[in-house]
């Protein structure tokens, strides 16, 4: 199986094959900006990296951390270590995982279940990390006759194992209600993220946000950018696009979706959605 050295190449391969793709990445690839894509993402940290912003939640990244990100969640890697940032990333086509699932075994569970105390991350033990990397090595070694079937079989075994890890980790942390406060945590920015998340369908001009939090617009923009690594407007747009994808999949019309997501201009919605997702809202809705 081909192992990509670019996250974007893996995403493109996944979209083309409608199955899954694997990438092994290092610090020499510039991280993607706040983005959304149509595939699930499994992100395993080997070394380096400091922080992940997924939707409205921050996470500190440590070696052995595994993140589960679905197709409706915007995410952005911030504050990357300048020396080493090695990670393994799977891009997975959602319908492919659904096809592999059974009534007794839902392989989408780790991407669709979001316990408040757990969120998107689990921390694998040394033994779990070894087993995860065993599957990665096995996949990367497959070639020749029957490779398609062998890749599918190993991937299926991997996803059963990861769902088992996710379920067990969620159970172990069920009593924990305190959300993670990563390095560089900024209480005001955390409040701003929560406010945007709760009011994404409403007008969210910078001036309005600044007035709500009793801050100057310039200071608001400065602390948001320094903490998240992206601008408020880019973050809000990404959040609105992720909501739009979900609404379109639920059967809402394009015009209804634009209004519910807080886009006050229909043409701006069409441009923003097409740029972020790669296809128009109408075409995306036709896949439902």
């Amino acid at each position: 199986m081909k192992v990509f050295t670019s996250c974007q190449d893996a995403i493109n391969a996944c979209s083309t094959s409608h199955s899954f793709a694997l990438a092994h990445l290092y610090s020499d690839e510039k991280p993607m900006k706040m983005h959304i894509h149509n595939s699930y993402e499994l992100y395993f940290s080997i070394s380096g990296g400091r922080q992940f912003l997924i939707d409205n939640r921050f996470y500190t990244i440590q070696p052995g951390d595994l993140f589960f990100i679905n197709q409706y969640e915007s995410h952005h890697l911030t504050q990357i270590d300048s020396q080493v940032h090695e990670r393994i990333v799977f891009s997975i086509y959602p319908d492919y995982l659904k096809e592999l699932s059974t009534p007794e075994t839902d392989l989408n569970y780790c991407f669709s279940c979001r316990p408040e105390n757990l969120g998107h991350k689990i921390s694998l033990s040394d033994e779990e990390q070894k087993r995860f990397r065993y599957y990665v090595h096995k996949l990367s070694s497959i070639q020749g006759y029957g490779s398609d079937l062998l890749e599918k079989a190993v991937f299926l075994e991997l996803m059963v194992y990861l769902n088992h890890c996710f379920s067990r980790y969620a159970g172990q942390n069920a009593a924990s209600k305190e959300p993670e406060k990563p390095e560089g945590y900024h209480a005001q920015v955390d409040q701003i993220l929560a406010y945007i998340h709760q009011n994404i369908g409403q007008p969210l001009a910078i001036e309005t946000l600044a007035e709500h939090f009793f801050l100057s617009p310039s200071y608001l923009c400065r602390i948001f950018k320094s903490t998240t690594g992206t601008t408020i407007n880019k973050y809000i747009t990404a959040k609105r696009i992720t909501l739009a994808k979900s609404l379109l999949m639920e059967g809402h019309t394009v015009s209804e979706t634009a209004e519910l997501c807080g886009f006050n201009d229909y043409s701006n919605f069409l441009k923003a959605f097409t740029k972020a997702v790669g296809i128009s809202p109408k075409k995306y809705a036709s896949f439902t």
Side-chain angles (χ1 to χ4, degrees):
M1 178 179 186
K2 181 174 182 179
V3 179
F4 293 92
T5 55
S6 161
C7 193
Q8 188 59 62
D9 287 347
I11 292 170
N12 293 341
C14 174
S15 297
T16 301
S17 67
H18 288 187
S19 57
F20 71 98
L22 170 62
H24 193 161
L25 309 170
Y26 299 86
S27 55
D28 55 357
E29 184 187 46
K30 184 178 179 181
M32 300 170 72
K33 298 177 181 178
M34 175 68 70
H35 62 286
I36 320 138
H37 38 72
N38 295 325
S39 56
Y40 291 150
E41 181 173 309
L42 274 176
Y43 180 104
F44 176 72
S45 173
I46 298 173
S47 61
R50 295 182 187 173
Q51 207 170 89
F52 228 150
L53 173 60
I54 306 175
D55 262 356
N56 63 319
R57 298 185 65 165
F58 280 109
Y59 299 91
T60 299
I61 302 176
Q62 301 293 340
D65 285 347
L66 180 65
F67 294 85
F68 300 86
I69 307 168
N70 68 39
Q71 75 274 41
Y72 302 123
E73 295 169 325
S74 58
H75 49 289
H76 174 52
L77 201 61
T78 67
Q79 300 181 11
I80 291 181
D81 188 287
S82 60
Q83 298 301 315
V84 178
H85 184 58
E86 186 179 1
R87 62 268 194 209
I88 292 169
V89 179
F90 279 88
S91 296
I92 305 167
Y93 199 71
D95 285 346
Y96 180 70
L97 210 54
K98 292 175 185 176
E99 291 169 5
L100 294 177
S101 298
T102 69
E104 292 78 25
T105 307
D106 180 12
L107 297 176
N108 295 277
Y109 175 76
C110 57
F111 295 103
S112 60
C113 177
R114 244 352 139 243
E116 184 62 30
N117 62 299
L118 181 60
H120 306 81
K121 181 180 89 170
I122 66 174
S123 299
L124 300 182
S125 67
D126 290 343
E127 187 58 38
E128 289 168 340
Q129 291 180 51
K130 288 178 184 177
R131 189 162 177 184
F132 176 83
R133 297 191 70 168
Y134 160 77
Y135 288 121
V136 172
H137 175 72
K138 195 169 182 179
L139 281 168
S140 63
S141 303
I142 294 172
Q143 56 183 326
Y145 176 76
S147 59
D148 56 339
L149 295 177
L150 291 173
E151 287 173 7
K152 183 176 182 179
V154 175
F155 176 73
L156 179 58
E157 189 176 351
L158 169 64
M159 290 310 306
V160 169
Y161 178 67
L162 292 182
N163 272 279
H164 176 71
C165 292
F166 183 90
S167 179
R168 185 175 69 253
Y169 197 86
Q172 291 172 347
N173 290 271
S176 173
K177 298 194 183 284
E178 184 67 23
E180 178 181 358
K181 290 183 174 59
E183 179 183 346
Y185 172 79
H186 196 298
Q188 280 185 311
V189 173
D190 199 45
Q191 292 169 6
I192 293 166
L193 289 169
Y195 182 84
I196 292 172
H197 181 71
Q198 294 163 6
N199 297 276
I200 195 63
Q202 305 302 318
L204 290 170
I206 290 175
E207 292 75 15
T208 304
L209 289 170
E211 183 178 347
H212 179 83
F213 288 99
F214 304 101
L215 302 171
S216 71
S218 60
Y219 180 71
L220 173 72
C221 292
R222 187 164 65 253
I223 62 171
F224 192 93
K225 178 68 181 291
S226 65
T227 303
T228 67
T230 191
T231 67
I232 290 180
N233 286 332
K234 286 181 180 178
Y235 176 78
I236 291 172
T237 298
K239 285 286 295 178
R240 285 178 167 157
I241 296 300
T242 59
L243 175 60
K245 291 176 66 177
S246 178
L247 292 172
L248 289 169
M249 291 296 286
E250 291 172 3
H252 290 273
T253 67
V254 175
S255 58
E256 286 174 344
T257 298
E259 184 177 350
L260 289 171
C261 292
F263 283 95
N264 56 12
D265 185 286
Y266 184 75
S267 61
N268 283 343
F269 169 62
L270 295 181
K271 291 176 184 177
F273 188 97
T274 303
K275 181 179 179 180
V277 182
I279 57 176
S280 69
K282 186 176 181 180
K283 188 169 183 179
Y284 184 84
S286 70
F287 294 149
T288 60

